[in-house]
Amino acid sequence: MYSWPVARLLPEQYNGWEAERSALRQFSASELAREVQDGSPARRLAALSLIDLAAVPPRTIEDWITTLPDAEANELAGAIPTLRPYASCADETRWVRLARAGYDRRALPTFLVMLFHAHEALEAASCSESPIAWEETADWLVQAYTRLSVRAEHEAMDDVALFVFENYLDRAAIFEAFCTLLANDRTLALKVSANPALFLSGLESARQQAAISEAERGGGLPAVETWRLLGR
């Protein structure tokens, strides 16, 4: 499986945020929310690292997604409370939608990670909402990746490849979205056909063949050559 997004060096204004975290540890959710609204950068980051987003109004979270600097938005994404043992299916569905919205607005990879953590939580709890959520995320993924491609946001496209395509092609809905993108995005088709093992090695033969054919159709290497690279 993937690892957490690589830690980024924080700007100078966040120096000392760990000490602030210790000072805020006993604050209530409402007190932490006030720090996020009005505190210094270091205290905002510390508060976000501690806050229970389940206790924060959705509109407030949406505002934070839009307005917080990247370092704080990353911490906000990491605060999405997925994989909690007693979370309801409705809670996890909410986090799926929030993570998608967060990625749409900020294109930070942490939102991708939390999105799929929430999907895993829905699966683990055998939630009836899970299949529909996967289908909705697959449709969203095609739209989101296409927007990134049109804007030539290559770093974000690489994030999607790393955190989604390398890990979730065993889910039928995500695989179908992947094939749609292969047939319509030459950059992705070339990436996959040049190094098919990175994306396809864990899939059954029929899915490998389907992806390779779509990559060729999308402008990648000939399917027979990609098949040979895959060791077939």
Side-chain angles (χ1 to χ4, degrees):
M1 295 296 289
Y2 54 74
S3 59
W4 194 257
V6 176
R8 294 173 173 82
L9 292 175
L10 293 171
E12 185 176 348
Q13 63 263 35
Y14 297 106
N15 289 350
W17 78 272
E18 296 95 337
E20 297 287 2
R21 190 176 192 274
S22 297
L24 299 178
R25 193 174 294 277
Q26 302 304 317
F27 277 35
S28 67
S30 60
E31 290 171 326
L32 291 171
R34 283 195 292 272
E35 290 293 338
V36 176
Q37 294 289 136
D38 303 320
S40 66
R43 284 179 76 87
R44 291 199 307 267
L45 190 66
L48 286 162
S49 74
L50 294 168
I51 200 164
D52 179 2
L53 288 184
V56 179
R59 181 163 294 188
T60 299
I61 299 174
E62 292 168 6
D63 181 62
W64 290 350
I65 289 172
T66 301
T67 60
L68 290 175
D70 278 0
E72 297 166 39
N74 260 319
E75 199 66 43
L76 171 66
I80 295 174
T82 62
L83 299 174
R84 285 186 171 181
Y86 303 111
S88 70
C89 294
D91 288 337
E92 297 298 354
T93 301
R94 176 191 175 194
W95 304 130
V96 165
R97 292 170 179 161
L98 175 66
R100 287 198 304 247
Y103 191 77
D104 279 338
R105 296 182 190 178
R106 303 302 293 264
L108 295 171
T110 317
F111 283 106
L112 283 179
V113 174
M114 300 314 294
L115 168 59
F116 286 90
H117 279 185
H119 273 293
E120 290 174 6
L122 282 171
E123 286 186 340
S126 300
C127 294
S128 61
E129 296 91 339
S130 184
I132 295 172
W134 277 115
E135 292 289 345
E136 290 174 348
T137 290
D139 292 342
W140 167 85
L141 184 63
V142 171
Q143 297 170 19
Y145 192 89
T146 300
R147 286 195 298 269
L148 296 174
S149 181
V150 168
R151 298 195 296 255
E153 295 187 23
H154 297 295
E155 183 176 352
M157 293 162 68
D158 288 343
D159 288 338
V160 175
L162 174 62
F163 296 116
V164 183
F165 298 148
E166 291 185 29
N167 295 285
Y168 291 99
L169 294 184
D170 58 334
R171 273 64 169 193
I174 301 302
F175 179 75
E176 291 173 10
F178 178 66
C179 286
T180 297
L181 289 167
L182 285 174
N184 292 282
D185 190 284
R186 187 168 185 267
T187 299
L188 181 62
L190 286 168
K191 181 192 290 285
V192 172
S193 61
N195 189 9
L198 180 62
F199 300 93
L200 307 177
S201 61
L203 301 179
E204 60 187 29
S205 178
R207 283 192 174 180
Q208 290 176 335
Q209 290 177 320
I212 286 169
S213 295
E214 293 302 324
E216 180 182 33
R217 191 154 71 92
L221 299 177
V224 64
E225 185 175 341
T226 306
W227 194 242
R228 186 165 55 247
L229 289 173
L230 197 54
R232 296 294 187 175

